[in-house]
Amino acid sequence: MVDEESRKREDCLESIVKSLEVVKQKLEQLQINTGGEKEEPREHPHGKIECRVRCTIISLGLIDTIKQEFWAEIYLSVTWIDNDLKGQNVGDVDWSKYWDPQLYFVNAVHVDHKEQWHTITEKTADSTIVKLSIRMRANFKSIMKLHSFPFDYQELTIKLMSDWKVGKLRFVRDRDTQDYIRSDTFTDSEWTLRKHVLAKPLEEKREQTGARSEFPHYHISFHVERYYAPYLLNIILVMFVISCLGFTSFAIPIEQVEARFGVNVALLLTAVAYKFVVNAKLPTVPYLTLMDKYVLWILILHALMVIQNAVCLPLASFVTRSTTIVDHVCAAVLGGLVLLVNGVFLVIALKKTRRTDKHLTELENKYETRRPRENSNKVSRKQQTEPSHSYNRLLHSAAERDVEEGKACSVS
């Protein structure tokens, strides 16, 4: 009896310890997501700070339309000027005592790994450029628009935000170093990755968010296009074949209504089963996708065939003595509707794919035009013999070295 009570006590303690471990892991994850407990941010003595941002998408995958999430590994660098660090070495700096951009990722829902470090990339007699580097692997939330499913494309966005108000900090895109995404590490076979990254700063409006203050945002977006061939072969083609098989019931004499009912009802139930297959691939959305509309029209056509089986004999006796003529007319009308529905679907699908390809090609061309002319920048800087401490020139020289560092980081 004593042994049983002690065993129960031990089991209870073990379960409590396991629960505490789970709580500890959740708290650690929460600390990673929120950046830990933050002291009151230290204001910069020189007013509004301009932070230049560049990003490398090292790896991308696990795009989940059900949860509306995607997984990514990224490298992000933010550079700014801080005159308070004049004459100091990186190893001697206590970064908690100096200005920090107070960054966090708004739509990161689960962080697998995150590390960040500071470096001093440029020092002159008057100015010092500081770089904050962040490397992380995380799941990000992204609202996916599925109206054109399965001929859709998705804009996946990583949202960066600062705790500083709009009047204290401003994000800008690093125009000397191009953001880029690695296509060789893309791991989701359902999608095709487009090779461009679109980054832009945003300033939220209180009218839209309802917040008391306005904070600067920075969005890093890239696009993936769905590989629709499996849906055409496994769902669209099968539904078309099922709709065509419904006309085999017209080979059965019109007097055998039960036999016709058996064929059409079986095909109708098969079409309904495929409707559930489609729904399993989609999140719950308050609208009909293109695939939903097609499947619903096929169900309606099968329902019309079942109705035709029920009313053909009474209709023939009311209109004419020849039931065969009425049956043939009904078959012709239903056949025309099947061809019309499938033809309209194919035309819409073709237009959507062409429009998608045109839009994404335009974005890729826009991305290519933003490529930095590094060689010309190097030549122009070599020609500058006089020392200059302007903010833009300092950041340009620092960003040039960031290119090689970002490549090395992505390869690792």
Side-chain angles (χ1 to χ4, degrees):
M1 190 70 177
V2 177
D3 293 339
E4 291 182 1
E5 291 181 357
S6 61
R7 194 180 302 111
K8 289 181 180 179
R9 232 182 273 114
E10 291 177 358
D11 294 340
C12 183
L13 290 174
E14 287 181 2
S15 62
I16 292 174
V17 170
K18 290 180 179 179
S19 300
L20 291 175
E21 288 292 333
V22 173
V23 172
K24 180 182 177 182
Q25 293 176 2
K26 294 293 184 182
L27 290 175
E28 290 176 350
Q29 188 64 54
L30 181 62
Q31 185 178 11
I32 293 175
N33 289 341
T34 59
E37 296 182 358
K38 297 181 180 180
E39 299 179 357
E40 188 68 23
R42 176 182 177 273
E43 290 196 13
H44 200 282
H46 303 292
K48 191 173 185 177
I49 300 301
E50 184 179 89
C51 293
R52 295 202 171 191
V53 184
R54 71 176 181 89
C55 182
T56 299
I57 310 300
I58 301 173
S59 182
L60 177 68
L62 301 178
I63 302 171
D64 192 340
T65 54
I66 303 296
K67 297 181 180 180
Q68 301 209 12
E69 295 178 4
F70 66 93
W71 178 91
E73 181 178 1
I74 66 171
Y75 169 77
L76 187 81
S77 69
V78 183
T79 55
W80 68 92
I81 193 167
D82 195 337
N83 294 329
D84 293 341
L85 290 167
K86 288 189 298 183
Q88 297 199 40
N89 297 321
V90 178
D92 301 331
V93 177
D94 183 1
W95 294 104
S96 63
K97 297 180 180 179
Y98 291 90
W99 186 87
D100 187 81
Q102 301 290 327
L103 304 177
Y104 72 96
F105 295 87
V106 179
N107 60 333
V109 294
H110 178 75
V111 178
D112 298 328
H113 174 76
K114 181 181 179 182
E115 56 179 325
Q116 64 182 42
W117 61 96
H118 292 78
T119 53
I120 297 176
T121 61
E122 185 78 13
K123 291 193 297 184
T124 66
D126 299 327
S127 302
T128 302
I129 293 180
V130 180
K131 182 177 71 172
L132 171 63
S133 300
I134 300 174
R135 181 164 181 170
M136 65 182 296
R137 296 188 294 268
N139 287 75
F140 298 90
K141 201 76 173 178
S142 182
I143 298 177
M144 301 184 184
K145 299 177 182 179
L146 301 167
H147 296 84
S148 301
F149 174 83
F151 307 99
D152 58 322
Y153 70 94
Q154 300 299 332
E155 180 180 11
L156 307 179
T157 304
I158 297 174
K159 300 179 180 180
L160 183 68
M161 180 179 170
S162 172
D163 278 339
W164 292 103
K165 297 179 182 180
V166 170
K168 298 294 183 179
L169 181 144
R170 181 167 71 97
F171 287 122
V172 294
R173 183 173 57 85
D174 193 335
R175 298 184 181 276
D176 287 342
T177 308
Q178 184 78 322
D179 301 319
Y180 66 95
I181 183 169
R182 295 192 56 168
S183 58
D184 59 325
T185 55
F186 184 64
T187 58
D188 200 319
S189 59
E190 187 180 351
W191 302 84
T192 301
L193 177 65
R194 305 305 289 253
K195 300 177 182 179
H196 62 263
V197 180
L198 304 178
K200 58 182 179 180
L202 297 173
E203 293 184 358
E204 64 180 8
K205 303 299 181 181
R206 280 178 290 183
E207 296 80 7
Q208 299 175 353
T209 62
R212 294 183 178 180
S213 304
E214 298 177 354
F215 298 93
H217 289 248
Y218 192 82
H219 288 187
I220 305 160
S221 302
F222 34 92
H223 292 85
V224 291
E225 188 176 5
R226 192 186 298 273
Y227 185 54
Y228 55 80
Y231 296 94
L232 287 179
L233 297 176
N234 297 327
I235 297 179
I236 301 298
L237 181 59
V238 172
M239 294 297 294
F240 175 72
V241 171
I242 291 174
S243 63
C244 293
L245 289 176
F247 291 94
T248 59
S249 63
F250 289 97
I252 303 173
I254 192 172
E255 291 79 10
Q256 300 180 15
V257 179
E258 296 84 357
R260 285 194 171 192
F261 265 121
V263 172
N264 286 323
V265 170
L267 293 173
L268 180 62
L269 294 176
T270 304
V272 171
Y274 266 88
K275 180 71 170 65
F276 284 106
V277 171
V278 176
N279 288 341
K281 296 289 293 182
L282 290 175
T284 303
V285 291
Y287 52 82
L288 294 177
T289 66
L290 183 60
M291 180 75 78
D292 290 331
K293 295 175 182 178
Y294 177 79
V295 174
L296 285 176
W297 273 108
I298 296 298
L299 294 178
I300 291 173
L301 292 175
H302 279 295
L304 290 177
M305 289 183 185
V306 175
I307 295 172
Q308 188 270 345
N309 297 154
V311 302
C312 186
L313 279 177
L315 182 63
S317 62
F318 178 77
V319 176
T320 178
R321 295 180 180 179
S322 176
T323 57
T324 304
I325 295 176
V326 175
D327 197 35
H328 289 171
V329 170
C330 291
V333 172
L334 290 172
L337 290 175
V338 169
L339 294 177
L340 178 63
V341 169
N342 286 276
V344 170
F345 176 80
L346 290 177
V347 170
I348 294 175
L350 184 61
K351 286 185 176 181
K352 287 185 177 296
T353 53
R354 286 185 176 180
R355 190 182 301 119
T356 297
D357 186 67
K358 180 181 178 181
H359 176 64
L360 295 181
T361 302
E362 290 176 353
L363 292 178
E364 286 183 348
N365 294 336
K366 182 180 179 181
Y367 172 77
E368 291 296 329
T369 58
R370 289 182 175 179
R371 284 191 176 276
R373 299 178 179 178
E374 298 178 16
N375 294 332
S376 61
N377 288 342
K378 289 179 182 178
V379 172
S380 63
R381 272 189 285 272
K382 285 181 180 179
Q383 295 174 351
Q384 295 170 357
T385 56
E386 296 182 2
S388 176
H389 311 312
S390 65
Y391 179 74
N392 288 335
R393 191 171 299 170
L394 284 169
L395 284 177
H396 286 181
S397 60
E400 190 175 52
R401 289 192 299 275
D402 289 349
V403 177
E404 298 300 326
E405 183 178 339
K407 291 180 180 178
C409 183
S410 63
V411 170
S412 63

